[in-house]
Amino acid sequence: MAPKPYIFLIIALLFIFLPLTASIHFKLPAIFNFGDSNSDTGELVAAGVYSLEPPYGQSYFTKPSGRYCDGRLIIDFLLEAMDLPFLNAYLDSIGRTSFRKGCNFAAAGSTIEPPTARAVSPFSFRVQVAQFIRFKLQVLRLIAKGKKLHKYLPDEDYFQNGLYMFDIGQNDLAGAFYSKTFDQILALIPLILTEFETGIKTLYDQGARNFWVHNTGPLGCLAQNVAKFGTDPSSLDELGCVSKHNQAAKVFNLQLHTLCKKLQGQYAGSNFTYVDIYTIKWNLIANYSKFGFEQPIMVCCGYGGPPLNYDSRIGCGKTEVLNGTTMTAKACSDSSEYVNWDGIHYSEAANQYVSSQILTGKYSDPPFSDKMPFLLGLKF
């Protein structure tokens, strides 16, 4: 197979940015993450709520890892860049699990708002924050008893000096479209963000000072939403994405950005970084071939064939009887050619691209270069 164009682009970028990359030293003792399937490293599966079968995990872990992806997530790539180990899920404590460098409370299907009766996940943002409080309390109790568990648990000062990451809100918006009008969804956004603000305040009161907040991506470009809400061509934009979903995401992101700025001024000693995931993902979908991808919206692991290869009745890796015939949703031959993995989640290759763009610092407010001393220590 001939090398893909993006391989040469990456090599060129490495040479261009090598001096800067080499001068960066990450000084984060631990990461505490909150979110949904975009950053779930095994929480929902460990809870017994859902199971993942092959081909999930095939591209990196060679087996399902609890991640809703063929391999690594954005958070995995970011942690690698920070020279930190992958985060273990809070509920995944069987075996030689270590929480020394942090803990992941994110669970697939989670929302900021309290879950409804039809929710996939019971672990809303409020519940995840409550889990963190319990985790911290238990850690402090255990380390006070001696050093026996020191290598498995974070030091007390890690809770103040660590980085608190958030990638949540996508499911609040996406789920609302099934029962609410567009205007009702827009009216709901301030309420969602009030709940988010409450959780942030609780964490701040617990000693958190360094906050890293991802906005939500272009929901209308996910095959699941295109299949359900994009049957009328007039509802789609120039990229084939559902316009209303993306408009709602933009309004949510604008208000989230405003909230981050407000909290930065409100909480003494805090550092808030807002990361524009939407723009990164939109640029990827709009210019997919430039970055070595062949399919921006069509699903790698799905059923039904072009144009979406997505059928809500049969999830990736599942076998179901459709119209009297047994069918299996299988993976494509090369997931690195696809932006979308299973209709809802991005492929490892797409996640790697997104994380590489995050690490440039230019999609963050404030940018890395001069406003993020808690994350980057530049060596001169």
Side-chain angles (χ1 to χ4, degrees):
M1 181 182 296
K4 296 182 179 180
Y6 70 84
I7 296 297
F8 298 109
L9 175 62
I10 292 172
I11 293 173
L13 289 173
L14 282 174
F15 279 105
I16 293 171
F17 293 109
L18 185 58
L20 176 60
T21 304
S23 69
I24 292 175
H25 178 67
F26 294 91
K27 297 181 178 180
L28 291 166
I31 304 290
F32 303 100
N33 185 69
F34 305 81
D36 51 34
S37 57
N38 288 314
S39 59
D40 181 355
T41 55
E43 184 82 347
L44 196 67
V45 171
V49 176
Y50 198 81
S51 64
L52 293 176
E53 294 85 26
Y56 281 95
Q58 67 177 17
S59 297
Y60 182 80
F61 302 97
T62 71
K63 60 182 180 180
S65 67
R67 293 163 174 79
Y68 287 73
C69 182
D70 60 311
R72 289 163 289 183
L73 306 175
I74 293 170
I75 190 171
D76 294 319
F77 288 109
L78 295 180
L79 287 168
E80 285 182 338
M82 297 175 193
D83 197 27
L84 291 171
F86 294 156
L87 287 183
N88 288 312
Y90 171 68
L91 294 178
D92 192 11
S93 57
I94 302 300
R96 297 176 62 85
T97 302
S98 174
F99 296 105
R100 175 68 178 164
K101 294 295 184 178
C103 184
N104 193 359
F105 303 91
S110 294
T111 53
I112 295 175
E113 287 271 272
T116 64
R118 298 179 58 189
V120 173
S121 167
F123 305 111
S124 65
F125 184 49
R126 184 183 302 184
V127 173
Q128 292 180 28
V129 171
Q131 289 176 328
F132 166 80
I133 293 173
R134 185 178 186 278
F135 172 81
K136 180 185 175 184
L137 181 63
Q138 290 293 93
V139 166
L140 296 182
R141 285 176 177 173
L142 289 170
I143 62 177
K145 293 180 178 181
K147 297 184 178 181
K148 186 175 181 180
L149 297 175
H150 176 76
K151 65 180 180 179
Y152 298 109
L153 301 174
D155 292 341
E156 183 173 359
D157 66 329
Y158 286 13
F159 291 105
Q160 180 169 334
N161 298 326
L163 182 65
Y164 291 73
M165 302 180 73
F166 308 88
D167 192 330
I168 193 167
Q170 174 175 317
N171 293 319
D172 293 84
L173 297 180
F177 274 93
Y178 285 84
S179 61
K180 300 182 184 301
T181 66
F182 182 67
D183 288 341
Q184 288 174 331
I185 293 170
L186 295 186
L188 181 65
I189 290 174
L191 301 178
I192 296 172
L193 291 178
T194 296
E195 181 74 11
F196 183 70
E197 182 178 0
T198 299
I200 295 294
K201 181 182 185 301
T202 301
L203 292 171
Y204 179 82
D205 291 342
Q206 286 287 320
R209 292 297 181 268
N210 305 314
F211 301 90
W212 175 283
V213 183
H214 287 185
N215 71 12
T216 199
L219 309 178
C221 299
L222 299 176
Q224 180 189 59
N225 292 328
V226 176
K228 175 67 175 179
F229 301 97
T231 54
D232 181 354
S234 66
S235 66
L236 303 177
D237 63 19
E238 69 276 12
L239 298 184
C241 305
V242 185
S243 299
K244 293 292 186 183
H245 280 65
N246 285 349
Q247 289 175 34
K250 289 178 180 179
V251 172
F252 175 87
N253 291 340
L254 180 64
Q255 294 184 30
L256 177 63
H257 194 183
T258 300
L259 175 61
C260 288
K261 289 184 176 181
K262 170 192 151 183
L263 296 177
Q264 175 70 71
Q266 183 174 317
Y267 293 145
S270 66
N271 296 286
F272 279 85
T273 299
Y274 171 87
V275 185
D276 189 4
I277 298 296
Y278 185 100
T279 296
I280 296 174
K281 289 184 174 180
W282 176 263
N283 288 342
L284 171 59
I285 293 167
N287 303 288
Y288 65 94
S289 60
K290 177 181 176 181
F291 303 114
F293 293 89
E294 295 186 10
Q295 297 293 342
I297 297 178
M298 190 168 82
V299 174
C300 169
C301 186
Y303 173 78
L308 296 177
N309 194 35
Y310 178 82
D311 190 318
S312 62
R313 298 173 297 174
I314 176 168
C316 172
K318 303 290 186 180
T319 297
E320 304 286 352
V321 177
L322 303 180
N323 302 320
T325 304
T326 300
M327 297 292 182
T328 300
K330 299 179 180 180
C332 58
S333 59
D334 186 355
S335 61
S336 69
E337 296 178 348
Y338 289 70
V339 170
N340 197 293
W341 166 243
D342 61 4
I344 307 172
H345 310 100
Y346 282 47
S347 66
E348 179 185 78
N351 287 331
Q352 184 172 28
Y353 168 81
V354 173
S355 61
S356 73
Q357 295 306 293
I358 293 172
L359 290 168
T360 66
K362 64 183 181 180
Y363 294 97
S364 299
D365 182 17
F368 288 10
S369 58
D370 57 355
K371 298 291 182 62
M372 293 176 62
F374 68 90
L375 178 59
L376 301 178
L378 301 180
K379 297 178 180 179
F380 295 98

